[in-house]
Amino acid sequence: MAKERIGIMGGTFNPIHRGHVIMAQAAMEAVSLDRVIFLPDGQPPHKTGIAPAEDRWRMVNVALSGARRMEASRMELDREGTTYTYDTLIRLRDKLSKASLFYIIGADTLMQLKTWHRYEDVLKLCTFLVCPRNGGPDADELLAEQHRLAKAGGKIAFVGMEPVDVSSTQIRAALAQGREPAMLDPMVGEYAAACGLYGPPRVQRAAEWMAQLYDDLTFKRFVHTLGVAYSARELALIHGLDAARAEGAALLHDCAKCLALSNMQWIAYDNKLTADRSILSSGALLHAIVGRWMAEQVYGVTDTAVLEAIEAHTTGAPGMSPLAMAVYLADKIEPGREAYPLLEKVRETAKRSLVQAMILSMEGTAGYVEKGGKPLHPRTLETLAWLRNQNEKTGG
Ligand code: ATP
């Protein structure tokens, strides 16, 4: 059987950016790698200004969530003190004895290789794949270095690709100024900016909430949550609403979603949250009501508008606020949403009119639920009637 060919991307990933993923993809294609493992560094005790290891870990996972054949490992992250690539490669070689290892680096890193701990031994453990980098060494310097390292036993190959003009330093600077860098995955940007990893936090308690949500939700649901927060903020900015409130409500909208139905029911009975049997028997509906309760009791939210938005995000509610509409719609149009027939139309309409987008989206949901042979909850029908009325009165 042919040996598995594994790419390794080491880095601080403070934060991970699109350049990292693009170079991994290019390396994968260039030498037919089977997969690439990202290895975020641990927390060097003497280094300051680096986001906490857990945050960088979560962002790496979020950035790779849509990437095929790319994964992250905690191997370096969980090691105490200074982590040497030599030790990592030895461990990988022992663990993956049947694989060939390819270490993917930028051209700037190639020039530093000779300073690495036991670099001559490192050279024997893997092939280095070098990606070009703007502002890095020129072609002559790179070739000279390749030659020098080859003499020491190194296997150094250059990946033929256009340089990707981005660095984590640039991304941190942009985030600190409240900008949204193009070379950052929107969900990673949402995580970093909401928590305030590189500037003031956009949502006061987001750092604490993220840790809890990351533990309580499935990973897929966590990524979806970031997408909803991203879209809710965008809609809030377009429609002149309080963006931090929309973002906060969106972060917590599914906080109860991954509880077992029996747990949700227990919370609902115990706290007399609803007597509605059709809601009590459906996790798809009940999680919004229990989510409101959890947002208040567990996450410490006191803002009624935020709590109402969380509660209204499944069935809607007659009289719901524009903030609640922004959260409801964000859930339907977030960047990671799988395509459904009305998706683009709802996205476009939401930019112009929250009410009209709500009508469109709810009509779509109604059709979908009815097609599945399930009854639509009366509250959705009441909400639709109220929205149509609003639309007629105000013209949207
Ligand atoms: P910082 O700006 O904080 O120094 P960085 O953008 O260089 O960060 P790291 O996490 O330190 O990111 O990089 C991990 C690896 O990816 C390194 O080998 C680095 O050379 C390489 N790398 C990062 N960005 C690029 C890029 N745009 N082009 C080529 N290589 C890159």
Side-chain angles (χ1 to χ4, degrees):
M1 212 172 77
K3 275 187 162 189
E4 196 185 8
R5 296 163 70 80
I6 299 180
I8 301 156
M9 275 282 297
T12 309
F13 304 119
N14 183 37
I16 186 167
H17 51 66
R18 288 199 202 275
H20 292 126
V21 180
I22 292 171
M23 61 194 276
Q25 185 66 40
M28 185 142 68
E29 284 161 18
V31 298
S32 305
L33 300 177
D34 294 298
R35 58 188 166 119
V36 176
I37 306 175
F38 284 63
L39 293 169
D41 288 350
Q43 198 72 13
H46 52 283
K47 273 201 183 169
T48 52
I50 299 183
E54 283 310 318
D55 290 310
R56 291 183 288 109
W57 166 251
R58 291 180 200 135
M59 291 190 288
V60 167
N61 280 284
V62 168
L64 300 184
S65 61
R68 285 185 59 238
R69 294 189 281 135
M70 294 189 199
E71 64 202 73
S73 159
R74 296 184 66 98
M75 189 180 264
E76 293 212 334
L77 196 85
D78 287 339
R79 281 224 305 269
E80 302 262 311
T82 314
T83 50
Y84 292 116
T85 303
Y86 171 75
D87 298 326
T88 304
L89 285 170
I90 290 287
R91 288 178 68 196
L92 281 170
R93 188 195 59 185
D94 293 348
K95 218 172 126 195
L96 307 163
S97 57
K98 295 198 169 56
S100 306
L101 301 178
F102 296 81
Y103 206 101
I104 306 163
I105 55 174
D108 54 322
T109 304
L110 179 71
M111 306 310 282
Q112 296 160 9
L113 261 185
K114 56 184 169 293
T115 67
W116 286 13
H117 174 67
R118 300 185 66 168
Y119 88 93
E120 289 184 329
D121 294 322
V122 168
L123 292 174
K124 297 187 183 82
L125 292 167
C126 63
T127 300
F128 279 93
L129 301 177
V130 184
C131 301
R133 188 160 197 184
N134 283 345
D138 65 28
D140 289 344
E141 288 172 300
L142 286 172
L143 285 172
E145 195 61 11
Q146 181 193 38
H147 191 67
R148 220 182 68 76
L149 293 169
K151 279 212 252 167
K155 298 179 284 301
I156 315 287
F158 295 106
V159 178
M161 63 182 282
E162 282 302 310
V164 189
D165 193 9
V166 61
S167 69
S168 297
T169 307
Q170 289 167 6
I171 301 277
R172 292 194 296 277
L175 287 171
Q177 291 165 10
R179 286 189 284 121
E180 199 179 299
M183 291 305 282
L184 188 65
D185 177 291
M187 265 66 124
V188 173
E190 174 59 40
Y191 184 101
C195 294
L197 293 182
Y198 307 110
R202 282 204 308 234
V203 178
Q204 271 317 313
R205 296 178 64 184
E208 204 186 301
W209 292 354
M210 289 297 185
Q212 175 115 27
L213 291 168
Y214 196 81
D215 285 347
D216 289 355
L217 304 181
T218 60
F219 178 64
K220 203 170 161 209
R221 180 70 44 194
F222 181 76
V223 177
H224 162 72
T225 291
L226 291 176
V228 179
Y230 173 85
S231 294
R233 178 171 185 275
E234 273 204 326
L235 288 179
L237 291 173
I238 293 172
H239 296 285
L241 310 172
D242 184 330
R245 274 167 128 189
E247 202 173 353
L251 280 177
L252 297 183
H253 83 288
D254 267 352
C255 67
K257 180 84 180 188
C258 297
L259 291 178
L261 179 60
S262 56
N263 269 354
M264 288 189 215
Q265 288 170 338
W266 183 80
I267 293 173
Y269 284 127
D270 216 42
N271 297 285
K272 300 186 174 51
L273 300 185
T274 176
D276 183 324
R277 284 174 153 266
S278 60
I279 292 185
L280 279 168
S281 62
S282 154
L285 298 180
L286 188 54
H287 79 274
I289 291 178
V290 175
R292 175 194 176 138
W293 181 86
M294 279 182 62
E296 194 171 4
Q297 301 299 322
V298 180
Y299 290 84
V301 176
T302 52
D303 185 336
T304 312
V306 168
L307 296 171
E308 281 174 2
I310 296 170
E311 180 169 352
H313 89 268
T314 51
T315 56
M320 68 198 287
S321 66
L323 184 86
M325 293 186 208
V327 174
Y328 182 102
L329 288 167
D331 192 19
K332 303 289 187 284
I333 63 171
E334 58 103 351
R337 259 283 170 206
E338 267 176 41
Y340 61 90
L342 281 175
L343 176 60
E344 287 314 320
K345 203 158 174 218
V346 177
R347 272 191 183 140
E348 277 315 303
T349 311
K351 289 185 198 152
R352 283 186 286 103
S353 159
L354 292 173
V355 170
Q356 285 172 9
M358 284 293 299
I359 295 173
L360 197 62
S361 173
M362 282 199 146
E363 283 174 349
T365 306
Y368 174 77
V369 171
E370 276 160 4
K371 225 164 106 190
K374 293 186 197 147
L376 198 62
H377 193 272
R379 180 161 268 235
T380 302
L381 292 172
E382 286 160 30
T383 309
L384 249 178
W386 175 78
L387 286 164
R388 288 186 183 121
N389 196 273
Q390 286 297 106
N391 191 40
E392 269 167 34
K393 270 205 279 190
T394 62

